[in-house]
Amino acid sequence: MISIAMPMIGNEEISAVNDVLRSGMLAQGPKVAELEKAFAEYCGTKHALAVNSGTAAIHAALFAAGVQPGDEVITTPFSFIATINPILMLGATPVVVDIDSKTYNIDPQKIEAAITNKTKVILPVHLYGQPCDWSEIQSIADKYGLVAIEDACQAVGATYADKKAGGLGDLACFSLYATKNIMCGEGGMITTNSDEYADAIRRFRQHGMSGPYQYEHIGYNYRLTDLQAAIAVEQLNKADSFNKKRQENAESFNNALASIEGIELPFVEPDRTHVYHQYTIRITDKFPVSRDEFVQAIREKGIGAGVYYPKSLYSIKHIAESGRSAGELLETERACAQVVSLPIHPMLSKEDIDTVITAIKDIARNA
Ligand SMILES: *Cc1c(COP(=O)(O)O)cnc(C)c1O
């Protein structure tokens, strides 16, 4: 079985964890501080704060931005559910805007119509590893005085006009979950240039604490452990080489699949780099079998293809009940029906890539 995701763990990670175990200091300590310094440098921001998941990162960033019950947060319905649940956790209202058909990212042309006097934040997602249309999004945020937060959970190392994801918005959120481009099992990061936001996040991840037994507001235990930070430091050192391998794998697929009728390849905007957290194609009506038949056939050939995402977040009951949709979500619905992601991770061998390509050609030919 060629799996859709697989972490790459080397001797560096293993000995770094052993060092932490031997130190006796397992909870948040010097390794977390080291990770935060390195991550901020990597993204080109003043601060990076570690938390224990990408979901916690989004929750903390929205809190730092001042999101309160009744506020509205504009986001995309074509993402993982952890983009929207933290909005609800703060009692705010998610307002979803349809996506662009080529990049699958939020369509900036449709954002302005979604703004009301309750809008506080725009939370776009750099889906699959390609940054969204940031200059358009930032101008809207500036015009209406909104906080712009990147959900960069899938986009560590991706660039927009030579700037790294994480350094584009007022705040940005990353995940270090096991399947992400760099990982430590579970973990998250928030980047920002604002001292005030950084302080709020430091309190929020630790019970709202500003000093010994001084509590400024509600908080959680969202701390990352030094055990995990030790893994993440080593993974961050390898981020660029991991991403390069993903890009090379994508290039191989692009070359081999370009001529197959009914398959639409990933589209990359000229001013961006895509780090291919997912390599996602569309199976259109011109392909001999449906998307679902394609997924079944390729899985039967031992290839773990995935559908990210089969359902609009707006079709999920608790989100539809508390949220609002700004207009129709036709491109989201079309993407949910057509997309499929192929294995692209850096552990794939040349033979694995060839196996995937042959399998797809077989399905196209013998359908
Ligand atoms: C993975 C992911 C998250 C959540 O991260 P966790 O670390 O799993 O909590 C949020 N948003 C997007 C787009 C993601 O891919």
Side-chain angles (χ1 to χ4, degrees):
M1 185 80 186
I2 300 176
S3 62
I4 183 81
M6 188 177 280
M8 216 163 156
I9 300 164
N11 290 329
E12 298 81 4
E13 284 82 351
I14 292 168
S15 72
V17 170
N18 279 335
D19 290 347
V20 174
L21 284 170
R22 288 200 190 90
S23 79
M25 171 78 211
L26 274 50
Q28 182 183 310
K31 271 290 168 186
V32 167
E34 187 184 333
L35 171 64
E36 292 181 336
K37 186 163 177 289
F39 205 91
E41 247 163 57
Y42 185 80
C43 294
T45 55
K46 188 167 178 197
H47 303 282
L49 294 312
V51 290
N52 54 24
S53 73
T55 311
I58 296 170
H59 192 192
L62 290 168
F63 174 83
V67 171
Q68 288 182 1
D71 289 343
E72 293 184 349
V73 176
I74 294 176
T75 190
T76 167
F78 193 58
S79 182
F80 183 51
I81 193 163
T83 302
I84 287 189
N85 274 339
I87 301 170
L88 300 172
M89 285 150 70
L90 288 161
T93 303
V95 177
V96 295
V97 169
D98 205 8
I99 56 170
D100 175 80
S101 65
K102 284 186 359 224
T103 62
Y104 307 103
N105 285 328
I106 193 168
D107 184 346
Q109 314 256 20
K110 296 184 177 149
I111 293 177
E112 258 186 291
I115 294 175
T116 69
N117 57 8
K118 292 180 183 161
T119 310
K120 183 140 224 174
V121 167
I122 309 181
L123 173 65
V125 179
H126 304 318
L127 201 74
Y128 304 143
Q130 173 167 221
C132 24
D133 297 330
W134 203 262
S135 86
E136 288 84 344
I137 291 167
Q138 192 63 57
S139 342
I140 297 168
D142 292 346
K143 182 171 165 191
Y144 293 91
L146 309 175
V147 182
I149 303 179
E150 303 165 60
D151 179 341
C153 286
Q154 303 186 354
V156 67
T159 61
Y160 175 96
D162 294 326
K163 251 182 132 176
K164 281 235 174 72
L168 303 169
D170 297 297
L171 294 137
C173 306
F174 293 87
S175 167
L176 299 169
Y177 177 64
T179 61
K180 299 288 155 82
N181 288 29
I182 63 168
M183 66 95 222
C184 63
E186 297 273 8
M189 300 296 296
I190 305 114
T191 51
T192 183
N193 288 315
S194 153
D195 297 344
E196 203 182 308
Y197 290 155
D199 284 341
I201 292 162
R202 277 189 204 100
R203 293 191 302 267
F204 193 69
R205 73 176 169 192
Q206 171 133 301
H207 313 293
M209 223 165 92
S210 60
Y213 296 97
Q214 271 188 292
Y215 305 103
E216 303 297 319
H217 46 68
I218 193 170
Y220 292 76
N221 176 356
Y222 276 168
R223 293 181 307 258
L224 189 72
T225 67
D226 263 22
L227 282 169
Q228 293 162 306
I231 302 172
V233 166
E234 300 306 326
Q235 291 267 305
L236 185 61
N237 285 333
K238 303 174 184 179
D240 290 345
S241 68
F242 287 171
N243 285 342
K244 186 159 171 281
K245 191 78 206 309
R246 286 175 181 268
Q247 287 160 345
E248 287 165 7
N249 292 345
E251 195 58 35
S252 302
F253 284 141
N254 285 343
N255 292 334
L257 305 179
S259 58
I260 301 181
E261 167 140 57
I263 289 185
E264 266 177 38
L265 301 179
F267 170 82
V268 185
E269 295 280 2
D271 55 352
R272 285 157 236 203
T273 56
H274 194 316
V275 294
Y276 295 100
H277 172 61
Q278 299 295 352
Y279 179 91
T280 303
I281 59 176
R282 268 186 206 266
I283 304 295
T284 71
D285 295 343
K286 294 200 181 106
F287 196 76
V289 297
S290 73
R291 191 275 311 273
D292 290 345
E293 286 163 342
F294 175 91
V295 171
Q296 197 189 337
I298 198 165
R299 284 185 185 157
E300 276 165 13
K301 291 171 185 291
I303 295 158
V307 174
Y308 310 106
Y309 297 88
K311 281 204 285 194
S312 155
L313 292 177
Y314 195 65
S315 72
I316 295 165
K317 188 163 162 276
H318 77 276
I319 292 174
E321 277 171 5
S322 313
R324 181 162 70 75
S325 171
E328 292 194 275
L329 304 172
L330 297 177
E331 288 303 336
T332 300
E333 300 298 340
R334 210 165 65 85
C336 290
Q338 292 187 331
V339 294
V340 55
S341 302
L342 306 175
I344 193 75
H345 58 79
M347 293 285 275
L348 295 175
S349 65
K350 177 86 186 62
E351 293 72 56
D352 292 335
I353 303 270
D354 289 341
T355 304
V356 177
I357 291 167
T358 307
I360 295 172
K361 287 185 171 165
D362 268 4
I363 297 168
R365 207 178 307 116
N366 300 324

